[in-house]
């Protein structure tokens, strides 16, 4: 084989491999479009004791620092704000004294700029 033909073949296959890599990356980007990035979301855990009474610990985690609004909502849509501030990454416990509320069904809610999560719980103060 002529050296020019070898160089031509090497350049052709190099270009072909580069072209395939570019197409593969475009395909991966297209397929991942619209997927949620897990790090942007908080995890709100269920209560250990339900029905609850007295001081209730609410636990949630966040992988990145973000502003979080944490509320308790009653069945008749009354809202009590527990926290409205920036939380650092990691696990957090917010404590609430339930003795100020009548017995009944409530929701604890975690809201961020990209998420709203609600969980149901019952208060039975003695």
């Amino acid at each position: 084989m002529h050296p020019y033909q070898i160089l031509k073949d090497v350049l052709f296959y190099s270009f072909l491999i580069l072209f395939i890599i570019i197409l593969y990356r475009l395909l991966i980007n297209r397929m991942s479009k619209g997927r949620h990035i897990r790090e942007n979301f908080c995890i709100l855990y269920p209560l250990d004791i339900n029905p609850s009474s007295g001081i209730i610990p609410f636990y949630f985690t966040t992988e990145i620092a973000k502003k979080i609004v944490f509320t308790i909502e009653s069945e008749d849509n009354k809202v009590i704000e527990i926290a409205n501030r920036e939380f650092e990454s990691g696990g957090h416990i917010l404590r609430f004294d339930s003795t100020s509320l009548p017995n009944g069904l409530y929701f604890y809610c975690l809201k961020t700029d990209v998420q709203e999560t609600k969980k149901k719980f019952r208060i039975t103060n003695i």
Side-chain angles (χ1 to χ4, degrees), residues 30-45:
R30 175 100 176 164
M31 289 174 61
S32 65
K33 206 176 223 181
R35 289 191 180 191
H36 300 292
I37 300 171
R38 185 176 181 186
E39 292 82 26
N40 289 339
F41 293 90
C42 299
I43 299 172
L44 181 60
Y45 289 88

Side-chain angles (χ1 to χ4, degrees), residues 4-119:
Y4 177 72
Q5 183 63 31
I6 295 173
L7 180 62
K8 183 179 170 186
D9 289 343
V10 168
L11 287 175
F12 174 76
Y13 288 113
S14 298
F15 176 74
L16 184 63
I17 291 170
L18 183 62
F19 185 71
I20 290 171
I21 290 171
I22 291 171
L23 284 178
Y24 175 75
R25 289 182 144 207
L26 287 173
L27 178 66
I28 294 298
N29 285 340
R30 175 100 176 164
M31 289 174 61
S32 65
K33 206 176 223 181
R35 289 191 180 191
H36 300 292
I37 300 171
R38 185 176 181 186
E39 292 82 26
N40 289 339
F41 293 90
C42 299
I43 299 172
L44 181 60
Y45 289 88
L47 294 176
D48 290 335
I49 300 171
N50 193 5
S52 300
S53 63
I55 304 294
I56 303 172
F58 299 103
Y59 181 68
F60 67 92
T61 60
T62 179
E63 291 194 28
I64 58 175
K66 60 175 44 208
K67 183 180 179 193
I68 294 173
V69 178
F70 197 93
T71 60
I72 294 177
E73 298 177 9
S74 65
E75 286 184 299
D76 56 354
N77 294 327
K78 291 181 184 174
V79 177
I80 300 169
E81 190 173 277
I82 307 299
N84 185 352
R85 63 183 171 92
E86 183 88 14
F87 285 88
E88 296 199 10
S89 64
H92 301 278
I93 298 175
L94 296 174
R95 290 179 171 78
F96 176 73
D97 185 3
S98 68
T99 57
S100 61
L101 296 174
N103 293 345
L105 188 63
Y106 294 87
F107 298 91
Y108 56 105
C109 310
L110 183 142
K111 298 176 188 172
T112 68
D113 56 342
V114 296
Q115 165 186 13
E116 181 175 338
T117 303
K118 289 185 179 186
K119 293 193 182 281

